[in-house]
């Protein structure tokens, strides 16, 4: 098995990564940073997001494992004091995995160029100075004229992140759905939006056509993109999926309870 270890720079993560790599070498695993079969991330959800984008072009052949060195994350199943148990699980690996949907982002610019991105959590469109104005289409049909600070389109796993802070629903990641949430929309006698999160079907897509401005900012997960003048952004469920090695993959609703309620503790 080809394995690589991807970690952040905090001391606890570095220590855990050094211990894991030593055990992997003694266990005769092949350490392969370029073309791994398993990527073990050590840190938190942000570390796993970074690893996802690092290996986004190899998603069909990679499974991820998250080790957290802080608070329990939505993508991390192991703790840093369980490194030995993790290596045992890797030795007994039979290829088991669970997969979740991703967000396909296709941006077209006024100069006829385009860009394509994959998001694990969400993508947003905002305007730096003043109110954002954009036409919203669902599956090619006009839906509304949006006025406000911005819009957030998330995956089911991303529904617990920025989307939730904007009033979005928490969606189970086995559902192939997108969710669009408004960021401080304007609703009055002149401007009117649905003013509610929208959850689309698997065969639907959301298209934004903002008013021609050069001060829009687009985000894809933790990355901030200052694009040329945007003509159109299309969001849909990606054909690619992220795969996690399923040794003891924590139940989604247990993660939600632990992260936001904590009544079991």
């Amino acid at each position: 098995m080809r394995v690589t270890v991807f970690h952040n720079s905090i001391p606890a993560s570095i220590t855990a990564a050094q211990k894991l790599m030593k055990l992997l070498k003694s266990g005769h695993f092949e350490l392969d940073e370029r073309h791994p079969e398993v990527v073990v991330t050590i840190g938190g959800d942000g570390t796993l997001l970074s690893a996802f984008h690092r290996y986004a072009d190899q998603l069909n052949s990679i499974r991820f494992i998250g080790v957290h060195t802080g608070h329990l994350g939505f993508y991390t199943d192991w703790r840093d004091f369980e490194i030995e148990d993790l290596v045992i699980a890797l030795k007994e690996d039979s290829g088991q995995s669970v997969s979740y949907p991703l967000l396909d982002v296709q941006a077209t610019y006024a100069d006829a160029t385009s860009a394509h991105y994959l998001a694990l959590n969400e993508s947003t469109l905002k305007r730096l100075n003043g109110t954002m104005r954009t036409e919203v289409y669902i599956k090619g049909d006009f839906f509304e004229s949006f006025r406000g600070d911005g819009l957030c389109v998330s995956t089911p796993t991303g529904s617990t992140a920025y989307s939730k802070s904007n009033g979005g629903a928490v969606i189970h990641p086995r559902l192939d759905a997108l969710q669009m949430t408004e960021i401080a929309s304007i609703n009055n006698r002149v401007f009117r939006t649905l003013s509610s999160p929208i959850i689309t079907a698997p065969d639907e897509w959301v298209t934004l056509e903002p008013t021609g401005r050069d001060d829009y900012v687009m985000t894809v997960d933790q990355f901030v993109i200052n694009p040329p003048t945007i003509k159109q952004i299309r969001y849909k469920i990606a054909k690619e999926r992220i795969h996690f090695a399923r040794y003891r993959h924590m139940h989604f609703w247990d993660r939600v309870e632990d992260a936001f309620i904590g009544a079991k503790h």
Side-chain angles (χ1 to χ4, degrees):
M1 180 187 291
R2 301 187 306 276
V3 183
T4 192
V5 180
F6 190 101
H7 61 88
N8 63 20
S9 59
I10 69 170
S13 299
I14 295 172
T15 299
Q18 291 172 341
K19 180 178 181 179
L20 176 57
M21 286 188 285
K22 182 178 179 181
L23 289 173
L24 291 173
K25 289 178 181 178
S26 63
H28 305 293
F29 289 90
E30 180 183 351
L31 294 177
D32 186 344
E33 184 179 347
R34 295 184 62 188
H35 300 288
E37 296 172 279
V38 172
V39 175
V40 181
T41 69
I42 301 179
D45 284 347
T47 308
L48 194 140
L49 279 168
S50 296
F52 161 76
H53 286 280
R54 165 67 175 81
Y55 294 100
D57 61 339
Q58 301 180 53
L59 294 177
N60 289 335
S61 59
I62 287 177
R63 290 175 295 151
F64 291 86
I65 299 173
V67 177
H68 56 97
T69 52
H71 298 292
L72 177 65
F74 276 90
Y75 299 117
T76 52
D77 292 315
W78 299 80
R79 288 297 310 270
D80 51 348
F81 54 76
E82 298 176 307
I83 297 298
E84 293 90 347
D85 294 334
L86 174 55
V87 173
I88 293 172
L90 285 165
K91 289 180 179 179
E92 297 174 349
D93 179 86
S94 60
Q96 60 269 49
S97 67
V98 58
S99 68
Y100 294 146
L102 301 170
L103 179 64
D104 182 291
V105 184
Q106 181 74 41
T108 303
Y109 305 119
D111 61 2
T113 61
S114 62
H116 177 256
Y117 307 93
L118 285 177
L120 177 54
N121 273 356
E122 76 278 310
S123 175
T124 68
L125 181 65
K126 303 177 183 179
R127 188 178 169 208
L128 288 177
N129 301 302
T131 300
M132 186 180 89
R133 303 175 63 181
T134 183
E135 306 298 288
V136 179
Y137 297 81
I138 298 179
K139 204 174 182 179
D141 293 329
F142 175 75
F143 181 73
E144 67 179 12
S145 294
F146 175 85
R147 304 292 186 273
D149 284 359
L151 289 168
C152 172
V153 181
S154 71
T155 65
T157 47
S159 69
T160 59
Y162 188 43
S163 177
K164 182 178 180 298
S165 70
N166 289 310
V170 175
I171 303 175
H172 196 286
R174 284 206 305 269
L175 298 175
D176 286 351
L178 300 182
Q179 179 171 203
M180 182 178 73
T181 53
E182 301 178 355
I183 306 171
S185 62
I186 296 175
N187 280 282
N188 53 34
R189 293 179 63 184
V190 179
F191 303 118
R192 178 63 54 189
T193 69
L194 183 63
S195 192
S196 175
I198 296 172
I199 299 173
T200 67
D203 64 341
E204 297 180 327
W205 61 92
V206 173
T207 304
L208 306 182
E209 294 186 357
T211 300
R213 303 272 185 180
D214 58 4
D215 60 348
Y216 285 102
V217 170
M218 179 170 60
T219 68
V220 177
D221 288 333
Q222 73 271 49
F223 299 104
V224 178
I225 301 164
N226 293 296
T229 302
I230 297 171
K231 180 180 179 181
Q232 181 186 93
I233 303 179
R234 185 212 61 204
Y235 301 101
K236 68 176 184 178
I237 294 289
K239 64 179 185 297
E240 302 89 347
R241 296 176 70 88
I242 187 171
H243 301 269
F244 291 92
R246 187 173 189 174
Y247 304 133
R248 59 170 193 188
H249 201 62
M250 188 175 178
H251 193 280
F252 176 73
W253 295 117
D254 285 339
R255 294 176 186 272
V256 173
E257 190 280 334
D258 184 82
F260 298 112
I261 303 172
K264 295 180 181 179
H265 301 287

